[in-house]
Amino acid sequence: MTKRIEFKVSLEVFSPEEWTETDTLLIEKARGILEKAHAPYSDFLVGAALLLENGEIFVANNQENVSFPVGVCAERIVLSYALGNHPDQRPLKIAIVAKRRADQEVATVTPCGLCRQTINEYEVKFGHPIEILMLNPQGEILKASGIDQLLPFRFNDLNS
Ligand code: THU
């Protein structure tokens, strides 16, 4: 039989009545900042809120460019800014909310590959998982306990 390396991944699903106070605040902050996104090319607005160990919450949104690949996702902006200013504060949780400009309801979003690798970077730096909270149109939080649930075969070691 062929030998396999397998990962079982999962997301926890929380209905609004099960949300914790902290998770509610993070989702509200991510939702609050998405309207300020610079997304004239995709009209897909994304907000991210990041909680650091010292209790500070940072927010950011996606910033696009006429040269499309130059655009940067909300998650990478908030991680770079927060960790650039607070290199010793462990990031605990990141919440992500998205919406198409023309829609009232939110769109389900999970971080793109580049953002997953970026989250991985800070997990490795601090030796601790970062929770990833994603809101779906049903008003549920989809929670990944860490980046291993979204990027199981991630790149980590230059020497391996
Ligand atoms: N985007 C984010 O900001 N975060 C994600 O998790 C997914 C995608 C942005 C990139 C681009 O500006 C727009 O959403 C459409 O892909």
Side-chain angles (χ1 to χ4, degrees), residues 7-11 116 119-120 123 129-130 132 144-154 156:
F7 287 100
K8 187 170 179 243
V9 297
S10 66
L11 301 176
R116 292 178 194 205
I119 294 167
N120 172 68
E123 284 199 358
I130 300 170
I132 302 143
S145 55
I147 202 61
D148 54 344
Q149 301 305 305
L150 295 179
L151 195 61
F153 288 99
R154 60 203 182 277
N156 256 333

Side-chain angles (χ1 to χ4, degrees), residues 92-150:
L92 305 183
K93 295 168 183 253
I94 184 166
I96 309 153
V97 180
K99 187 177 87 61
R100 286 183 182 80
R101 197 188 301 280
D103 293 350
Q104 288 300 316
E105 75 277 14
V106 304
T108 307
V109 68
T110 68
C112 79
L114 292 178
C115 291
R116 292 178 194 205
Q117 189 67 33
T118 305
I119 294 167
N120 172 68
E121 185 66 24
Y122 295 109
E123 284 199 358
V124 172
K125 173 174 174 173
F126 289 92
H128 209 277
I130 300 170
E131 272 186 13
I132 302 143
L133 316 178
M134 299 152 280
L135 186 64
N136 73 12
Q138 291 73 46
E140 296 162 325
I141 292 178
L142 309 181
K143 186 183 287 191
S145 55
I147 202 61
D148 54 344
Q149 301 305 305
L150 295 179

Side-chain angles (χ1 to χ4, degrees), residues 42 44 46 62 64 72-75 96 109-112:
S42 71
F44 192 77
V46 185
N62 52 327
E64 297 185 348
V72 188
C73 296
E75 297 93 314
I96 309 153
V109 68
T110 68
C112 79

Side-chain angles (χ1 to χ4, degrees), residues 16-37:
E17 56 277 10
E18 299 174 309
W19 294 13
T20 66
E21 215 175 293
T22 305
D23 291 359
T24 304
L25 181 63
L26 282 175
I27 291 286
E28 275 172 6
K29 286 196 174 281
R31 197 204 279 263
I33 200 71
L34 68 79
E35 296 290 349
K36 291 183 180 165

